Amino acid sequence: MSKKLPKHYMNIRERFPEYGDALSKLGESVRNTGPLDEKNVQLIQLAASAAIRSEGGVHSHVRRAIENGASEEEVYQTVILLTSTIGFPNVAAAISWVNDIVEG
């Protein structure tokens, strides 16, 4: 897994450093507000990313979920569980983005 951050994200952070710092602090703060471990936090964020059809978000959260101990099966189940909520076409798109990372 590559730890390289997307170029667009890095451009935003470089152009607006205070904003980037605030985003990082917010992300850290919300992850530390409860008992969920990092693997499950990333799987939940993966599901949210799939629901809003964010290809970059799906890529990012698949990487981070796996880095934090999620199996490929857990990643795929997280997305497939959304079928009755977001519909098959959205799930199919998200699975293709998961494949980018898992098979990439």
Side-chain angles (χ1 to χ4, degrees), residues 78-89 91 95:
T78 297
V79 175
I80 290 170
L81 284 168
L82 300 172
T83 303
S84 63
T85 306
I86 67 172
F88 174 75
V91 168
I95 288 173

Side-chain angles (χ1 to χ4, degrees), residues 87-99:
F88 174 75
N90 294 322
V91 168
I95 288 173
S96 75
W97 302 328
V98 170
N99 290 343

